[in-house]
Amino acid sequence: MSTTFTIDSSTSRATPVSAPMKRLTVPAVRRRKGGEPLVMLTAYTVRTAQLLDPHCDLLLVGDSLGQVIYGLPSTVPVTLEMMAAHGAAVVRGSYHAVVVVDMPFGSYEASPEKAFESAAWLLKQTGAAAVKLEGGTAMASTVAFLSERGIPVMGHVGLTPQAVNALGGYGARGRSEAEAQKIVGDARAVAEAGAFAIVIEGVVEPIAIEITRSIDVPTIGIGASAECDGQVLVTEDMLGMFERTPRFVKRYGDMAGYIGERAAMYAAEVRSREFPSADQTYAPKP
């Protein structure tokens, strides 16, 4: 029986223990087209993966880690090495979800051959099941090249953050008829090229609905439509780790406030010498 490794969260030590392999597969995800909506969230660490894995069909190791983890101004500076390190951590912390790793800017655009080299290296380094790349018609030949060589590809159309410099910002896409038609055409091209699913980000809703109804692979929305075949959010946005969140994010918590309050409590107890108490110190042996 195949095994993977999970982390024993009952102690403070990262002790690997074997667990039965119960992962969903890429073909199983693709078969969910038109069925129960797919749940996807981002994850960058072992512990986050552990907490999200029982609830998600897919975990995305997004290049959004550039901003969320490293404080970079955009996803553009993210490297393959960053994605590999965090992708491997998420695979180690999960056993159920399909783990998808973003291919960072500059690692796949030059040629299909370059994309294959980058994607193969990422999958070898992480143990992930698939990669995600941004772009539509221009990337269709690359999607086909990878898919034909055994690398599952998730597409990404609409607002493509890696192209922020060309787009001029993060505003919703598809407000003009010409741009709307281009986004729909991009999604169809990527689906026909062999992508097993497509993220649709930051588009006016009718575009997402049209794409979802016109292609035969699942669509995963983020700022798109509830009619998509699934949804994804950046976990830290969803949990309220930042003061400002995009319009399309629903905040399911206020983790920033919670953490700040607890840090203040800790600081007060340290300064008053209330912590550590006898419960947190070691007495001499009798």
Side-chain angles (χ1 to χ4, degrees):
M1 181 173 61
S2 298
T3 59
T4 188
F5 289 98
T6 58
I7 303 303
D8 180 4
S9 60
S10 64
T11 75
S12 62
R13 296 180 176 84
T15 306
V17 293
S18 60
M21 178 67 79
K22 299 178 181 178
R23 281 193 197 278
L24 291 175
T25 64
V26 166
V29 168
R30 184 165 184 158
R31 289 194 295 269
R32 292 275 287 275
K33 175 69 180 179
E36 182 182 29
L38 293 159
V39 177
M40 183 161 75
L41 285 169
T42 61
Y44 317 116
T45 66
V46 167
R47 187 58 181 145
T48 301
Q50 285 181 310
L51 295 172
L52 301 181
D53 187 59
H55 311 287
C56 293
D57 303 301
L58 302 108
L59 291 175
L60 174 64
V61 188
D63 59 0
S64 49
L65 64 81
Q67 294 146 304
V68 174
I69 302 295
Y70 292 95
L72 296 171
S74 72
T75 62
V76 172
V78 172
T79 66
L80 275 170
E81 290 74 18
M82 288 179 182
M83 298 309 304
H86 290 275
V90 170
V91 170
R92 287 195 298 269
S94 61
Y95 67 89
H96 165 72
V98 173
V99 178
V100 182
V101 181
D102 263 339
M103 296 183 68
F105 178 74
S107 68
Y108 62 92
E109 296 90 341
S111 68
E113 291 79 9
K114 175 64 175 177
F116 180 84
E117 179 184 351
S118 299
W121 185 83
L122 267 182
L123 295 189
K124 287 181 179 181
Q125 293 294 314
T126 63
V131 297
K132 180 170 76 65
L133 57 80
E134 297 182 5
T137 303
M139 287 293 108
S141 60
T142 296
V143 172
F145 191 88
L146 297 183
S147 299
E148 290 166 0
R149 287 158 178 79
I151 296 181
V153 179
M154 177 178 285
H156 186 149
V157 301
L159 172 59
T160 48
Q162 291 177 7
V164 62
N165 292 324
L167 296 174
Y170 294 98
R173 317 310 301 179
R175 295 195 182 279
S176 72
E177 181 62 26
E179 187 177 44
Q181 290 180 359
K182 180 181 184 307
I183 294 170
V184 173
D186 283 342
R188 288 173 176 165
V190 171
E192 290 169 3
F196 74 90
I198 298 177
V199 169
I200 307 174
E201 179 171 1
V203 301
V204 293
E205 187 173 26
I207 296 174
I209 295 172
E210 181 177 352
I211 292 171
T212 300
R213 293 176 178 175
S214 65
I215 65 175
D216 62 0
V217 300
T219 59
I220 299 175
I222 176 168
S225 173
E227 290 196 29
C228 289
D229 299 298
Q231 301 294 327
V232 61
L233 284 176
V234 172
T235 298
E236 285 76 6
D237 287 342
M238 180 269 289
L239 293 177
M241 286 290 286
F242 300 101
E243 286 72 23
R244 180 188 173 279
T245 54
R247 170 188 171 86
F248 54 76
V249 173
K250 179 175 179 178
R251 290 166 62 104
Y252 288 83
D254 179 24
M255 291 302 295
Y258 180 87
I259 291 170
E261 290 171 2
R262 270 55 192 175
M265 292 170 59
Y266 167 73
E269 290 192 4
V270 168
R271 289 172 181 139
S272 67
R273 300 190 184 277
E274 185 178 351
F275 175 84
S277 68
D279 290 338
Q280 292 91 38
T281 55
Y282 298 96
K285 290 184 177 180

